[in-house]
Amino acid sequence: MDKLIIEGGRRLSGTIRVSGSKNAALPILFAAILCDGPASLGNVPDLRDISTTLNLLETLGCQIQKADGRCSMECRNLHSEAPYELVRTMRASVLCLGPLLARTGRARVALPGGCAIGARPVDQHLKGLERLGASFHIDEGYIVGKCKKLTGTRVAFDMPTVGGTENLLMAASMASGETVIENAAREPEVVDLANFLIACGANIEGHGESVIHIQGRESLHGCAYDIMPDRIEAGTFMVAAGITRGELLLENCPHDELKAVIAKLAEMGMEIGRLEDGRTRVKCDGRLDCVDIKTQPYPGFPTDMQAQIMALMCLSRGAAVVEESIFENRFMHVQELLRMGANIRVSGRTAMVKGVRRLSGAPVMASDLRASASLVLAGLAAHGITDISRIYHLDRGYESIEKKLNAVGAAISRQSE
Ligand code: EPZ
């Protein structure tokens, strides 16, 4: 297992290019199962979760070729078992359920276990797909699903679930008749998936809103499509500029999809603006103030940025409340930040953060993807050396983060533990 060694206290300055979105690429890769022709994807980030997904797709019988930055896939002779050893490493594997049922009428997908941030059930996915005519039972830890033909109908989610909306979008695209998804997730990654499906011939309206209409198609063809930039990676680099009191220019930054994050960072005292050439300039040259945060479904403040902005607040003036309303256990970074001298008190889903003058480098342990990003950010600003172990969590969602940060003035080295 690898670890990162960070020498803190260095101001970041320079230009960083934002990679393709992990959370848009994953559902789009699974959606290629629906296509009866080749799909060619651009701007696919080079991440552990992406290689896990490509392995799973090959296990399902897809042919995959990667050349000059594009990923081409053809899914002809599919079989329908997604094995536990792959699914347990990546919960998003459950996104193959909808496409497999739509394309083959059957699916056998390992039940994803829980993960560090919460139980993360898939009951909404199954309930929605049952509404379309699928039936499921659990056998030896696997979700076994089958359907004669999926038939469009009205599906109302109990809560706006990103994965549930994505599974239903994919299944409904090839169901007979119209499906209406109510209380749909509005995240930009859901919109990117819908745009990919439309490029493959699907008939979808209302994506990005809470009610989505899908007219099913007999079949979908392949297409060439470029994945949207990663708004959470971009937001993480914005915090990196703030926590080191530096200045960064972000290329390919999805500025419009980060409005809630930019508003909060500006409220704290950061300067964030879009340049004529389309790059986003992020600057912080003074003290910042703590601000209250409550994570919400899009377009609210994203839960995937909660750990990162908490690290920034540890070194800001005053005190503020961070409320995590999406997941039940998404404060795993707190114990590690406390080891670095932060002042944070957790009660249930709420954390009270009081700014301190300085953080000290320390040996800390990554626990999940965004918690590890939070520790990297704290390490950039801490006095002394921060040693972050188990950074395989980080590699799941950030493309060579130490290379990108070292190119703008950080001092991070990767060592094997
Ligand atoms: C997606 O997870 C993202 N992952 C997560 O990003 C992100 O945090 C989350 O959406 C919320 O924005 C990918 O896109 C691969 P949900 P997902 O279904 O789809 C409950 C990261 O760091 N729920 O929107 O699993 C669930 O427990 C990852 O990149 C049910 O109860 O999230 C949670 O409380 C972490 N039953 C809430 O809904 C269900 O069937 C939102 O979950 C489904 C969800």
Side-chain angles (χ1 to χ4, degrees), residues 306-307 310-311 314 322 329-348 350-353 359 364-365 367-368 370-372 374-375:
Q306 179 259 108
M310 186 187 284
C314 290
V322 177
N329 186 35
R330 205 168 196 178
F331 287 143
M332 306 282 278
H333 42 290
V334 170
Q335 283 309 321
E336 303 306 302
L337 292 171
L338 292 176
R339 291 177 46 70
M340 299 175 73
N343 182 340
I344 309 168
R345 221 179 40 253
V346 171
S347 164
T350 300
M352 166 65 83
V353 184
L359 293 176
V364 291
M365 186 161 72
S367 55
D368 60 85
R370 306 306 175 182
S372 22
S374 167
L375 300 179

PDB file of all heavy atoms in Angstrom, residues 306-307 310-311 314 322 329-348 350-353 359 364-365 367-368 370-372 374-375:
ATOM      1  N   GLN A 306     -17.734  18.246   1.355  1.00  0.00           N
ATOM      2  CA  GLN A 306     -17.857  18.576   2.798  1.00  0.00           C
ATOM      3  C   GLN A 306     -16.540  18.411   3.541  1.00  0.00           C
ATOM      4  O   GLN A 306     -16.095  19.319   4.277  1.00  0.00           O
ATOM      5  CB  GLN A 306     -18.952  17.685   3.408  1.00  0.00           C
ATOM      6  CG  GLN A 306     -19.205  17.848   4.883  1.00  0.00           C
ATOM      7  CD  GLN A 306     -18.548  16.730   5.707  1.00  0.00           C
ATOM      8  OE1 GLN A 306     -17.564  16.986   6.400  1.00  0.00           O
ATOM      9  NE2 GLN A 306     -19.076  15.549   5.614  1.00  0.00           N
ATOM     10  N   ALA A 307     -15.853  17.311   3.306  1.00  0.00           N
ATOM     11  CA  ALA A 307     -14.582  17.073   4.022  1.00  0.00           C
ATOM     12  C   ALA A 307     -13.533  18.099   3.624  1.00  0.00           C
ATOM     13  O   ALA A 307     -12.760  18.584   4.466  1.00  0.00           O
ATOM     14  CB  ALA A 307     -14.090  15.652   3.726  1.00  0.00           C
ATOM     15  N   MET A 310     -14.220  21.518   5.145  1.00  0.00           N
ATOM     16  CA  MET A 310     -13.986  21.482   6.598  1.00  0.00           C
ATOM     17  C   MET A 310     -12.497  21.702   6.905  1.00  0.00           C
ATOM     18  O   MET A 310     -12.148  22.419   7.850  1.00  0.00           O
ATOM     19  CB  MET A 310     -14.451  20.147   7.207  1.00  0.00           C
ATOM     20  CG  MET A 310     -14.353  20.149   8.731  1.00  0.00           C
ATOM     21  SD  MET A 310     -14.697  18.563   9.464  1.00  0.00           S
ATOM     22  CE  MET A 310     -16.478  18.481   9.336  1.00  0.00           C
ATOM     23  N   ALA A 311     -11.634  21.121   6.074  1.00  0.00           N
ATOM     24  CA  ALA A 311     -10.189  21.329   6.274  1.00  0.00           C
ATOM     25  C   ALA A 311      -9.867  22.812   6.172  1.00  0.00           C
ATOM     26  O   ALA A 311      -9.117  23.364   6.979  1.00  0.00           O
ATOM     27  CB  ALA A 311      -9.404  20.525   5.242  1.00  0.00           C
ATOM     28  N   CYS A 314     -10.827  24.728   9.254  1.00  0.00           N
ATOM     29  CA  CYS A 314      -9.964  24.521  10.438  1.00  0.00           C
ATOM     30  C   CYS A 314      -8.954  25.651  10.580  1.00  0.00           C
ATOM     31  O   CYS A 314      -8.482  25.928  11.681  1.00  0.00           O
ATOM     32  CB  CYS A 314      -9.218  23.197  10.309  1.00  0.00           C
ATOM     33  SG  CYS A 314     -10.280  21.766  10.485  1.00  0.00           S
ATOM     34  N   VAL A 322     -20.984  22.438  10.445  1.00  0.00           N
ATOM     35  CA  VAL A 322     -21.053  21.668   9.205  1.00  0.00           C
ATOM     36  C   VAL A 322     -22.063  20.546   9.410  1.00  0.00           C
ATOM     37  O   VAL A 322     -21.903  19.724  10.314  1.00  0.00           O
ATOM     38  CB  VAL A 322     -19.679  21.061   8.845  1.00  0.00           C
ATOM     39  CG1 VAL A 322     -19.785  20.187   7.591  1.00  0.00           C
ATOM     40  CG2 VAL A 322     -18.641  22.163   8.628  1.00  0.00           C
ATOM     41  N   ASN A 329     -22.423   8.756   8.000  1.00  0.00           N
ATOM     42  CA  ASN A 329     -21.127   8.601   8.667  1.00  0.00           C
ATOM     43  C   ASN A 329     -20.008   9.227   7.851  1.00  0.00           C
ATOM     44  O   ASN A 329     -19.054   8.581   7.470  1.00  0.00           O
ATOM     45  CB  ASN A 329     -20.847   7.103   8.904  1.00  0.00           C
ATOM     46  CG  ASN A 329     -19.575   6.911   9.724  1.00  0.00           C
ATOM     47  OD1 ASN A 329     -19.292   7.723  10.595  1.00  0.00           O
ATOM     48  ND2 ASN A 329     -18.817   5.880   9.423  1.00  0.00           N
ATOM     49  N   ARG A 330     -20.167  10.479   7.521  1.00  0.00           N
ATOM     50  CA  ARG A 330     -19.203  11.095   6.607  1.00  0.00           C
ATOM     51  C   ARG A 330     -18.321  12.112   7.339  1.00  0.00           C
ATOM     52  O   ARG A 330     -17.965  13.145   6.794  1.00  0.00           O
ATOM     53  CB  ARG A 330     -19.903  11.720   5.397  1.00  0.00           C
ATOM     54  CG  ARG A 330     -18.953  11.798   4.217  1.00  0.00           C
ATOM     55  CD  ARG A 330     -19.576  12.132   2.900  1.00  0.00           C
ATOM     56  NE  ARG A 330     -18.637  11.807   1.843  1.00  0.00           N
ATOM     57  CZ  ARG A 330     -18.875  11.938   0.558  1.00  0.00           C
ATOM     58  NH1 ARG A 330     -20.035  12.409   0.134  1.00  0.00           N
ATOM     59  NH2 ARG A 330     -17.972  11.601  -0.339  1.00  0.00           N
ATOM     60  N   PHE A 331     -17.927  11.772   8.582  1.00  0.00           N
ATOM     61  CA  PHE A 331     -16.994  12.614   9.337  1.00  0.00           C
ATOM     62  C   PHE A 331     -15.728  11.836   9.707  1.00  0.00           C
ATOM     63  O   PHE A 331     -15.068  12.152  10.702  1.00  0.00           O
ATOM     64  CB  PHE A 331     -17.661  13.138  10.619  1.00  0.00           C
ATOM     65  CG  PHE A 331     -18.694  14.219  10.397  1.00  0.00           C
ATOM     66  CD1 PHE A 331     -19.840  14.264  11.177  1.00  0.00           C
ATOM     67  CD2 PHE A 331     -18.535  15.203   9.415  1.00  0.00           C
ATOM     68  CE1 PHE A 331     -20.799  15.256  11.005  1.00  0.00           C
ATOM     69  CE2 PHE A 331     -19.479  16.197   9.228  1.00  0.00           C
ATOM     70  CZ  PHE A 331     -20.620  16.233  10.020  1.00  0.00           C
ATOM     71  N   MET A 332     -15.372  10.848   8.884  1.00  0.00           N
ATOM     72  CA  MET A 332     -14.207  10.008   9.227  1.00  0.00           C
ATOM     73  C   MET A 332     -12.913  10.826   9.190  1.00  0.00           C
ATOM     74  O   MET A 332     -11.908  10.452   9.777  1.00  0.00           O
ATOM     75  CB  MET A 332     -14.085   8.851   8.232  1.00  0.00           C
ATOM     76  CG  MET A 332     -15.343   8.026   8.091  1.00  0.00           C
ATOM     77  SD  MET A 332     -15.537   6.891   9.446  1.00  0.00           S
ATOM     78  CE  MET A 332     -14.454   5.581   8.886  1.00  0.00           C
ATOM     79  N   HIS A 333     -12.928  11.964   8.499  1.00  0.00           N
ATOM     80  CA  HIS A 333     -11.725  12.807   8.411  1.00  0.00           C
ATOM     81  C   HIS A 333     -11.493  13.577   9.713  1.00  0.00           C
ATOM     82  O   HIS A 333     -10.381  14.029   9.985  1.00  0.00           O
ATOM     83  CB  HIS A 333     -11.853  13.800   7.241  1.00  0.00           C
ATOM     84  CG  HIS A 333     -13.209  14.425   7.140  1.00  0.00           C
ATOM     85  ND1 HIS A 333     -14.338  13.712   6.757  1.00  0.00           N
ATOM     86  CD2 HIS A 333     -13.639  15.673   7.414  1.00  0.00           C
ATOM     87  CE1 HIS A 333     -15.393  14.514   6.781  1.00  0.00           C
ATOM     88  NE2 HIS A 333     -15.017  15.699   7.181  1.00  0.00           N
ATOM     89  N   VAL A 334     -12.560  13.707  10.541  1.00  0.00           N
ATOM     90  CA  VAL A 334     -12.444  14.573  11.726  1.00  0.00           C
ATOM     91  C   VAL A 334     -11.369  14.073  12.688  1.00  0.00           C
ATOM     92  O   VAL A 334     -10.483  14.835  13.111  1.00  0.00           O
ATOM     93  CB  VAL A 334     -13.809  14.685  12.446  1.00  0.00           C
ATOM     94  CG1 VAL A 334     -13.635  15.364  13.805  1.00  0.00           C
ATOM     95  CG2 VAL A 334     -14.798  15.452  11.574  1.00  0.00           C
ATOM     96  N   GLN A 335     -11.418  12.780  13.031  1.00  0.00           N
ATOM     97  CA  GLN A 335     -10.434  12.240  13.983  1.00  0.00           C
ATOM     98  C   GLN A 335      -9.012  12.495  13.504  1.00  0.00           C
ATOM     99  O   GLN A 335      -8.111  12.774  14.295  1.00  0.00           O
ATOM    100  CB  GLN A 335     -10.640  10.720  14.131  1.00  0.00           C
ATOM    101  CG  GLN A 335     -11.840  10.351  15.013  1.00  0.00           C
ATOM    102  CD  GLN A 335     -11.812  11.085  16.351  1.00  0.00           C
ATOM    103  OE1 GLN A 335     -10.753  11.272  16.962  1.00  0.00           O
ATOM    104  NE2 GLN A 335     -12.955  11.575  16.795  1.00  0.00           N
ATOM    105  N   GLU A 336      -8.814  12.399  12.185  1.00  0.00           N
ATOM    106  CA  GLU A 336      -7.453  12.595  11.645  1.00  0.00           C
ATOM    107  C   GLU A 336      -7.069  14.077  11.672  1.00  0.00           C
ATOM    108  O   GLU A 336      -5.935  14.431  11.966  1.00  0.00           O
ATOM    109  CB  GLU A 336      -7.378  12.034  10.226  1.00  0.00           C
ATOM    110  CG  GLU A 336      -7.753  10.540  10.114  1.00  0.00           C
ATOM    111  CD  GLU A 336      -6.950   9.646  11.049  1.00  0.00           C
ATOM    112  OE1 GLU A 336      -5.719   9.660  10.952  1.00  0.00           O
ATOM    113  OE2 GLU A 336      -7.555   8.984  11.888  1.00  0.00           O
ATOM    114  N   LEU A 337      -8.041  14.957  11.394  1.00  0.00           N
ATOM    115  CA  LEU A 337      -7.751  16.407  11.457  1.00  0.00           C
ATOM    116  C   LEU A 337      -7.439  16.809  12.905  1.00  0.00           C
ATOM    117  O   LEU A 337      -6.571  17.658  13.158  1.00  0.00           O
ATOM    118  CB  LEU A 337      -8.939  17.204  10.910  1.00  0.00           C
ATOM    119  CG  LEU A 337      -9.204  17.074   9.403  1.00  0.00           C
ATOM    120  CD1 LEU A 337     -10.531  17.732   9.003  1.00  0.00           C
ATOM    121  CD2 LEU A 337      -8.050  17.695   8.585  1.00  0.00           C
ATOM    122  N   LEU A 338      -8.123  16.169  13.860  1.00  0.00           N
ATOM    123  CA  LEU A 338      -7.832  16.478  15.279  1.00  0.00           C
ATOM    124  C   LEU A 338      -6.386  16.122  15.614  1.00  0.00           C
ATOM    125  O   LEU A 338      -5.716  16.831  16.366  1.00  0.00           O
ATOM    126  CB  LEU A 338      -8.789  15.696  16.197  1.00  0.00           C
ATOM    127  CG  LEU A 338     -10.263  16.108  16.152  1.00  0.00           C
ATOM    128  CD1 LEU A 338     -11.103  15.174  17.031  1.00  0.00           C
ATOM    129  CD2 LEU A 338     -10.444  17.562  16.596  1.00  0.00           C
ATOM    130  N   ARG A 339      -5.866  15.074  15.013  1.00  0.00           N
ATOM    131  CA  ARG A 339      -4.468  14.673  15.252  1.00  0.00           C
ATOM    132  C   ARG A 339      -3.524  15.764  14.750  1.00  0.00           C
ATOM    133  O   ARG A 339      -2.371  15.840  15.186  1.00  0.00           O
ATOM    134  CB  ARG A 339      -4.136  13.361  14.534  1.00  0.00           C
ATOM    135  CG  ARG A 339      -4.825  12.115  15.087  1.00  0.00           C
ATOM    136  CD  ARG A 339      -4.500  10.866  14.287  1.00  0.00           C
ATOM    137  NE  ARG A 339      -3.071  10.730  13.990  1.00  0.00           N
ATOM    138  CZ  ARG A 339      -2.141  10.446  14.898  1.00  0.00           C
ATOM    139  NH1 ARG A 339      -2.498  10.282  16.142  1.00  0.00           N
ATOM    140  NH2 ARG A 339      -0.873  10.343  14.560  1.00  0.00           N
ATOM    141  N   MET A 340      -4.002  16.607  13.855  1.00  0.00           N
ATOM    142  CA  MET A 340      -3.142  17.686  13.291  1.00  0.00           C
ATOM    143  C   MET A 340      -3.361  19.001  14.025  1.00  0.00           C
ATOM    144  O   MET A 340      -2.833  20.035  13.617  1.00  0.00           O
ATOM    145  CB  MET A 340      -3.441  17.833  11.789  1.00  0.00           C
ATOM    146  CG  MET A 340      -3.151  16.562  10.993  1.00  0.00           C
ATOM    147  SD  MET A 340      -3.631  16.697   9.254  1.00  0.00           S
ATOM    148  CE  MET A 340      -2.330  17.785   8.653  1.00  0.00           C
ATOM    149  N   GLY A 341      -4.201  18.957  15.102  1.00  0.00           N
ATOM    150  CA  GLY A 341      -4.375  20.172  15.894  1.00  0.00           C
ATOM    151  C   GLY A 341      -5.650  20.931  15.603  1.00  0.00           C
ATOM    152  O   GLY A 341      -5.851  22.045  16.101  1.00  0.00           O
ATOM    153  N   ALA A 342      -6.553  20.334  14.817  1.00  0.00           N
ATOM    154  CA  ALA A 342      -7.821  21.026  14.523  1.00  0.00           C
ATOM    155  C   ALA A 342      -8.701  21.035  15.767  1.00  0.00           C
ATOM    156  O   ALA A 342      -8.494  20.255  16.707  1.00  0.00           O
ATOM    157  CB  ALA A 342      -8.548  20.317  13.388  1.00  0.00           C
ATOM    158  N   ASN A 343      -9.687  21.949  15.736  1.00  0.00           N
ATOM    159  CA  ASN A 343     -10.636  22.040  16.861  1.00  0.00           C
ATOM    160  C   ASN A 343     -12.031  21.780  16.307  1.00  0.00           C
ATOM    161  O   ASN A 343     -12.655  22.682  15.724  1.00  0.00           O
ATOM    162  CB  ASN A 343     -10.559  23.434  17.495  1.00  0.00           C
ATOM    163  CG  ASN A 343     -11.491  23.565  18.697  1.00  0.00           C
ATOM    164  OD1 ASN A 343     -12.440  22.777  18.844  1.00  0.00           O
ATOM    165  ND2 ASN A 343     -11.235  24.558  19.531  1.00  0.00           N
ATOM    166  N   ILE A 344     -12.486  20.513  16.408  1.00  0.00           N
ATOM    167  CA  ILE A 344     -13.767  20.108  15.812  1.00  0.00           C
ATOM    168  C   ILE A 344     -14.507  19.240  16.826  1.00  0.00           C
ATOM    169  O   ILE A 344     -13.906  18.373  17.463  1.00  0.00           O
ATOM    170  CB  ILE A 344     -13.561  19.270  14.531  1.00  0.00           C
ATOM    171  CG1 ILE A 344     -12.615  19.962  13.549  1.00  0.00           C
ATOM    172  CG2 ILE A 344     -14.903  18.960  13.855  1.00  0.00           C
ATOM    173  CD1 ILE A 344     -12.150  19.060  12.405  1.00  0.00           C
ATOM    174  N   ARG A 345     -15.807  19.505  16.980  1.00  0.00           N
ATOM    175  CA  ARG A 345     -16.599  18.663  17.889  1.00  0.00           C
ATOM    176  C   ARG A 345     -17.796  18.115  17.110  1.00  0.00           C
ATOM    177  O   ARG A 345     -18.522  18.895  16.484  1.00  0.00           O
ATOM    178  CB  ARG A 345     -17.092  19.491  19.079  1.00  0.00           C
ATOM    179  CG  ARG A 345     -16.994  18.717  20.393  1.00  0.00           C
ATOM    180  CD  ARG A 345     -17.439  19.452  21.647  1.00  0.00           C
ATOM    181  NE  ARG A 345     -18.613  20.268  21.481  1.00  0.00           N
ATOM    182  CZ  ARG A 345     -18.565  21.615  21.445  1.00  0.00           C
ATOM    183  NH1 ARG A 345     -17.377  22.222  21.500  1.00  0.00           N
ATOM    184  NH2 ARG A 345     -19.666  22.330  21.306  1.00  0.00           N
ATOM    185  N   VAL A 346     -17.928  16.782  17.103  1.00  0.00           N
ATOM    186  CA  VAL A 346     -18.987  16.139  16.313  1.00  0.00           C
ATOM    187  C   VAL A 346     -20.120  15.698  17.226  1.00  0.00           C
ATOM    188  O   VAL A 346     -19.899  15.171  18.315  1.00  0.00           O
ATOM    189  CB  VAL A 346     -18.427  14.910  15.555  1.00  0.00           C
ATOM    190  CG1 VAL A 346     -19.554  14.106  14.912  1.00  0.00           C
ATOM    191  CG2 VAL A 346     -17.445  15.354  14.472  1.00  0.00           C
ATOM    192  N   SER A 347     -21.344  15.968  16.761  1.00  0.00           N
ATOM    193  CA  SER A 347     -22.514  15.431  17.469  1.00  0.00           C
ATOM    194  C   SER A 347     -23.504  14.961  16.406  1.00  0.00           C
ATOM    195  O   SER A 347     -24.142  15.765  15.710  1.00  0.00           O
ATOM    196  CB  SER A 347     -23.125  16.540  18.325  1.00  0.00           C
ATOM    197  OG  SER A 347     -24.426  16.160  18.701  1.00  0.00           O
ATOM    198  N   GLY A 348     -23.528  13.616  16.212  1.00  0.00           N
ATOM    199  CA  GLY A 348     -24.410  13.044  15.178  1.00  0.00           C
ATOM    200  C   GLY A 348     -23.945  13.472  13.792  1.00  0.00           C
ATOM    201  O   GLY A 348     -22.809  13.259  13.415  1.00  0.00           O
ATOM    202  N   THR A 350     -23.688  16.524  12.803  1.00  0.00           N
ATOM    203  CA  THR A 350     -23.256  17.919  12.825  1.00  0.00           C
ATOM    204  C   THR A 350     -21.870  18.025  13.437  1.00  0.00           C
ATOM    205  O   THR A 350     -21.571  17.344  14.416  1.00  0.00           O
ATOM    206  CB  THR A 350     -24.257  18.730  13.688  1.00  0.00           C
ATOM    207  OG1 THR A 350     -25.547  18.601  13.083  1.00  0.00           O
ATOM    208  CG2 THR A 350     -23.889  20.197  13.719  1.00  0.00           C
ATOM    209  N   ALA A 351     -21.023  18.865  12.818  1.00  0.00           N
ATOM    210  CA  ALA A 351     -19.680  19.099  13.371  1.00  0.00           C
ATOM    211  C   ALA A 351     -19.538  20.598  13.622  1.00  0.00           C
ATOM    212  O   ALA A 351     -19.891  21.405  12.759  1.00  0.00           O
ATOM    213  CB  ALA A 351     -18.616  18.628  12.399  1.00  0.00           C
ATOM    214  N   MET A 352     -19.050  20.967  14.812  1.00  0.00           N
ATOM    215  CA  MET A 352     -18.751  22.375  15.117  1.00  0.00           C
ATOM    216  C   MET A 352     -17.254  22.560  14.905  1.00  0.00           C
ATOM    217  O   MET A 352     -16.446  21.887  15.568  1.00  0.00           O
ATOM    218  CB  MET A 352     -19.139  22.683  16.557  1.00  0.00           C
ATOM    219  CG  MET A 352     -18.586  23.985  17.094  1.00  0.00           C
ATOM    220  SD  MET A 352     -19.257  25.414  16.219  1.00  0.00           S
ATOM    221  CE  MET A 352     -20.798  25.614  17.087  1.00  0.00           C
ATOM    222  N   VAL A 353     -16.884  23.412  13.955  1.00  0.00           N
ATOM    223  CA  VAL A 353     -15.475  23.644  13.635  1.00  0.00           C
ATOM    224  C   VAL A 353     -15.076  25.020  14.159  1.00  0.00           C
ATOM    225  O   VAL A 353     -15.770  26.002  13.885  1.00  0.00           O
ATOM    226  CB  VAL A 353     -15.240  23.616  12.113  1.00  0.00           C
ATOM    227  CG1 VAL A 353     -13.754  23.768  11.801  1.00  0.00           C
ATOM    228  CG2 VAL A 353     -15.783  22.325  11.498  1.00  0.00           C
ATOM    229  N   LEU A 359      -2.079  24.285  11.919  1.00  0.00           N
ATOM    230  CA  LEU A 359      -2.150  22.828  12.021  1.00  0.00           C
ATOM    231  C   LEU A 359      -0.715  22.308  11.996  1.00  0.00           C
ATOM    232  O   LEU A 359       0.173  22.928  11.399  1.00  0.00           O
ATOM    233  CB  LEU A 359      -2.936  22.238  10.847  1.00  0.00           C
ATOM    234  CG  LEU A 359      -4.433  22.554  10.775  1.00  0.00           C
ATOM    235  CD1 LEU A 359      -5.032  21.970   9.490  1.00  0.00           C
ATOM    236  CD2 LEU A 359      -5.167  22.012  11.992  1.00  0.00           C
ATOM    237  N   VAL A 364      -1.270  10.375   9.597  1.00  0.00           N
ATOM    238  CA  VAL A 364      -2.728  10.228   9.591  1.00  0.00           C
ATOM    239  C   VAL A 364      -3.104   9.118   8.607  1.00  0.00           C
ATOM    240  O   VAL A 364      -2.266   8.660   7.821  1.00  0.00           O
ATOM    241  CB  VAL A 364      -3.426  11.557   9.216  1.00  0.00           C
ATOM    242  CG1 VAL A 364      -3.257  12.587  10.324  1.00  0.00           C
ATOM    243  CG2 VAL A 364      -2.925  12.086   7.884  1.00  0.00           C
ATOM    244  N   MET A 365      -4.400   8.696   8.686  1.00  0.00           N
ATOM    245  CA  MET A 365      -4.811   7.558   7.851  1.00  0.00           C
ATOM    246  C   MET A 365      -6.054   7.912   7.033  1.00  0.00           C
ATOM    247  O   MET A 365      -7.048   8.394   7.577  1.00  0.00           O
ATOM    248  CB  MET A 365      -5.104   6.350   8.763  1.00  0.00           C
ATOM    249  CG  MET A 365      -5.412   5.070   8.007  1.00  0.00           C
ATOM    250  SD  MET A 365      -5.200   3.643   9.073  1.00  0.00           S
ATOM    251  CE  MET A 365      -6.638   3.862  10.115  1.00  0.00           C
ATOM    252  N   SER A 367      -9.459   7.174   5.041  1.00  0.00           N
ATOM    253  CA  SER A 367     -10.531   6.188   5.337  1.00  0.00           C
ATOM    254  C   SER A 367     -11.495   6.057   4.165  1.00  0.00           C
ATOM    255  O   SER A 367     -12.108   5.025   3.943  1.00  0.00           O
ATOM    256  CB  SER A 367     -11.312   6.662   6.564  1.00  0.00           C
ATOM    257  OG  SER A 367     -11.775   7.989   6.318  1.00  0.00           O
ATOM    258  N   ASP A 368     -11.701   7.140   3.424  1.00  0.00           N
ATOM    259  CA  ASP A 368     -12.553   7.083   2.231  1.00  0.00           C
ATOM    260  C   ASP A 368     -12.078   8.181   1.287  1.00  0.00           C
ATOM    261  O   ASP A 368     -11.230   8.993   1.645  1.00  0.00           O
ATOM    262  CB  ASP A 368     -14.043   7.257   2.601  1.00  0.00           C
ATOM    263  CG  ASP A 368     -14.322   8.592   3.281  1.00  0.00           C
ATOM    264  OD1 ASP A 368     -14.518   9.600   2.569  1.00  0.00           O
ATOM    265  OD2 ASP A 368     -14.307   8.629   4.523  1.00  0.00           O
ATOM    266  N   ARG A 370     -13.061  11.135  -0.111  1.00  0.00           N
ATOM    267  CA  ARG A 370     -13.045  12.582   0.117  1.00  0.00           C
ATOM    268  C   ARG A 370     -12.394  12.917   1.465  1.00  0.00           C
ATOM    269  O   ARG A 370     -11.801  13.981   1.608  1.00  0.00           O
ATOM    270  CB  ARG A 370     -14.453  13.169   0.014  1.00  0.00           C
ATOM    271  CG  ARG A 370     -15.164  12.839  -1.266  1.00  0.00           C
ATOM    272  CD  ARG A 370     -14.382  13.218  -2.523  1.00  0.00           C
ATOM    273  NE  ARG A 370     -15.093  12.742  -3.716  1.00  0.00           N
ATOM    274  CZ  ARG A 370     -14.667  12.872  -4.963  1.00  0.00           C
ATOM    275  NH1 ARG A 370     -13.512  13.452  -5.196  1.00  0.00           N
ATOM    276  NH2 ARG A 370     -15.341  12.382  -5.991  1.00  0.00           N
ATOM    277  N   ALA A 371     -12.434  12.010   2.403  1.00  0.00           N
ATOM    278  CA  ALA A 371     -11.709  12.213   3.670  1.00  0.00           C
ATOM    279  C   ALA A 371     -10.220  12.283   3.385  1.00  0.00           C
ATOM    280  O   ALA A 371      -9.510  13.135   3.935  1.00  0.00           O
ATOM    281  CB  ALA A 371     -12.014  11.081   4.636  1.00  0.00           C
ATOM    282  N   SER A 372      -9.742  11.437   2.454  1.00  0.00           N
ATOM    283  CA  SER A 372      -8.302  11.467   2.144  1.00  0.00           C
ATOM    284  C   SER A 372      -7.942  12.776   1.452  1.00  0.00           C
ATOM    285  O   SER A 372      -6.880  13.336   1.708  1.00  0.00           O
ATOM    286  CB  SER A 372      -7.852  10.282   1.299  1.00  0.00           C
ATOM    287  OG  SER A 372      -8.893   9.695   0.596  1.00  0.00           O
ATOM    288  N   SER A 374      -9.297  15.581   2.065  1.00  0.00           N
ATOM    289  CA  SER A 374      -9.284  16.567   3.155  1.00  0.00           C
ATOM    290  C   SER A 374      -7.942  16.543   3.885  1.00  0.00           C
ATOM    291  O   SER A 374      -7.393  17.592   4.252  1.00  0.00           O
ATOM    292  CB  SER A 374     -10.427  16.216   4.115  1.00  0.00           C
ATOM    293  OG  SER A 374     -10.327  16.906   5.317  1.00  0.00           O
ATOM    294  N   LEU A 375      -7.375  15.348   4.057  1.00  0.00           N
ATOM    295  CA  LEU A 375      -6.089  15.219   4.764  1.00  0.00           C
ATOM    296  C   LEU A 375      -4.947  15.765   3.908  1.00  0.00           C
ATOM    297  O   LEU A 375      -4.007  16.385   4.411  1.00  0.00           O
ATOM    298  CB  LEU A 375      -5.838  13.769   5.136  1.00  0.00           C
ATOM    299  CG  LEU A 375      -6.897  13.140   6.052  1.00  0.00           C
ATOM    300  CD1 LEU A 375      -6.568  11.683   6.343  1.00  0.00           C
ATOM    301  CD2 LEU A 375      -7.042  13.940   7.346  1.00  0.00           C
TER     302      LEU A 375
END
